[in-house]
Amino acid sequence: MDILEEINVKGFVEEEIDPTLDLFEEINRLKKEKNAVILAHYYQDGDIQDIADYIGDSLGLSQQAAKTDADIIVFAGVHFMAETAKILSPTKKVLLPDVKAGCSLADSCPPHLFRKFKEAYPDHLVITYVNCTAELKALSDIVCTSSNAVQIVESLPKDQKIIFGPDKNLGAYVAKKTGRDLVLWNGACMVHEIFSREKITKLRERHPGAKLLAHPECEDVILEMADYIGSTTGILKYATSQPDKEFIVATESGILHQMQKDNPEKVFIPAPPNNMCACNDCPHMKRNTLEKLYLCIKNELPEVTVPADIIEKAVKPIERMLEISARLGL
């Protein structure tokens, strides 16, 4: 089996790595040698966040991908994020440590079904959450992130009819915040739908001073309990700016690494899921490891590509999002 066949089957490059190798040192050496930049999402393992050149949420990562002068973008995240980087920087090589790092939310909205859904509302403008495939972005008018979804909807005329997809929970939150009547696609993120109201209530009884911080992809029953609702970056900034010492965090547990680094004197408690599994860990995000990241840069594989016709269509709604965000200072 050659290396491309192996990637097709496994999703990543698999090689023996010398156990005495300092992977942090080797990755930093390869970055300089190849003029590569590592962009990592807050949901990645702590080791990957620590080696990254930039850590952020979907909006921040998109902004970095658009302006980097590196020759190679190594995206420590999931597939749609690497696709977004390729759409914004089509002449650069974009790598993903494990191409099978997908997204349950993106999977919940197949483009061919969304196209039919869109055809039923011909007078509606389509806003899609960035957590979707390149093909879905190509069917959109504007892309948004959880950081800017409310502001983007508010920037449009009040009589503008809007389809919002693929996340129904984020869409419902945006509709409530803006007072707009949005047509929602019925999609969701498995991580953010798993939190238990009952268990969080019991946790708050044990930690009466703790504030609950929630991502808007969570279900409404969780958002109603929250002291703060925001994107991963918003949650991190809020926890840093507040005098409180304890926080319950209802989003993917990877964010706790950065929260603890920035606030070593504070206590961060992951919100409990509704069963005994570690479901507030995204299994897709956690497919990436430091070893896979090293082999990815070393071999410059797996590479993420997007067809030129999709790039041409998908770049417009992403650029519109970045323009609106820049105008609003986001």
Side-chain angles (χ1 to χ4, degrees), residues 8 56 119 309:
N8 195 43
E119 286 168 1
D309 61 322

Side-chain angles (χ1 to χ4, degrees), residues 279-293:
C279 299
N280 47 346
D281 285 341
C282 173
H284 300 289
M285 285 282 186
K286 297 305 192 269
R287 284 187 70 96
N288 297 315
T289 63
L290 197 64
E291 290 77 14
K292 288 179 185 177
L293 181 64

Side-chain angles (χ1 to χ4, degrees), residues 3 32 38 165 167 174 181 199 223 238 249 274 291 321 325:
I3 194 166
K32 289 175 186 170
I38 298 174
D167 193 284
V174 171
D181 183 20
K199 289 185 178 179
L223 299 183
Y238 182 87
V249 185
N274 60 17
E291 290 77 14
M321 171 189 75
S325 296

Side-chain angles (χ1 to χ4, degrees), residues 41-220:
H41 195 275
Y42 284 125
Y43 296 168
Q44 293 292 289
D45 279 337
D47 282 349
I48 293 177
Q49 291 188 43
D50 290 343
I51 195 72
D53 298 290
Y54 180 85
I55 314 156
D57 61 8
S58 295
L59 176 59
L61 293 168
S62 297
Q63 290 166 331
Q64 288 295 316
K67 69 184 184 184
T68 184
D69 58 0
D71 296 317
I72 297 173
I73 299 172
V74 186
F75 220 115
V78 292
H79 198 268
F80 77 78
M81 295 178 175
E83 281 186 334
T84 303
K86 185 64 178 178
I87 291 164
L88 289 167
S89 298
T91 61
K92 299 183 188 303
K93 181 178 280 191
V94 177
L95 308 176
L96 184 66
D98 190 326
V99 290
K100 291 191 184 292
C103 171
S104 60
L105 177 56
D107 291 345
S108 74
C109 192
H112 69 285
L113 295 180
F114 188 80
R115 184 181 288 105
K116 289 182 180 176
F117 182 75
K118 175 183 171 181
E119 286 168 1
Y121 302 93
D123 55 347
H124 285 53
L125 182 140
V126 177
I127 300 178
T128 52
Y129 185 30
V130 71
N131 296 30
C132 66
T133 62
E135 289 89 347
L136 204 70
K137 290 178 177 73
L139 294 169
S140 310
D141 296 296
I142 311 177
V143 168
C144 73
T145 72
S146 54
S147 294
N148 60 22
V150 169
Q151 293 92 329
I152 282 176
V153 169
E154 286 179 336
S155 75
L156 300 171
K158 281 191 168 25
D159 60 351
Q160 175 63 63
K161 295 177 180 179
I162 298 169
I163 292 172
F164 189 98
D167 193 284
K168 63 181 180 183
N169 294 322
L170 178 59
Y173 171 75
V174 171
K176 184 182 281 189
K177 291 288 285 185
T178 61
R180 306 289 278 267
D181 183 20
L182 308 180
V183 175
L184 305 181
W185 174 267
N186 187 29
C189 164
M190 64 187 225
V191 173
H192 289 100
E193 282 216 310
I194 203 72
F195 297 112
S196 164
R197 180 177 183 172
E198 181 186 356
K199 289 185 178 179
I200 290 172
T201 300
K202 289 177 179 175
L203 189 58
R204 293 182 100 173
E205 287 171 2
R206 296 200 300 275
H207 300 270
K211 284 194 170 176
L212 175 62
L213 315 181
H215 193 282
E217 285 183 50
C218 293
E219 292 183 314
D220 193 50

Side-chain angles (χ1 to χ4, degrees), residues 42 57 147 173 177 204 209-216 223 225-251 255 258-260 262-263 265-268:
Y42 284 125
D57 61 8
S147 294
Y173 171 75
K177 291 288 285 185
R204 293 182 100 173
K211 284 194 170 176
L212 175 62
L213 315 181
H215 193 282
L223 299 183
M225 304 169 68
D227 297 291
Y228 174 81
I229 302 167
S231 67
T232 42
T233 295
I235 286 172
L236 179 59
K237 286 180 178 176
Y238 182 87
T240 300
S241 68
Q242 296 302 301
D244 307 83
K245 294 300 181 186
E246 285 191 311
F247 299 89
I248 299 166
V249 185
T251 189
I255 185 67
Q258 207 61 37
M259 295 175 94
Q260 204 69 72
D262 290 356
N263 305 277
E265 77 290 356
K266 297 183 180 182
V267 176
F268 299 100

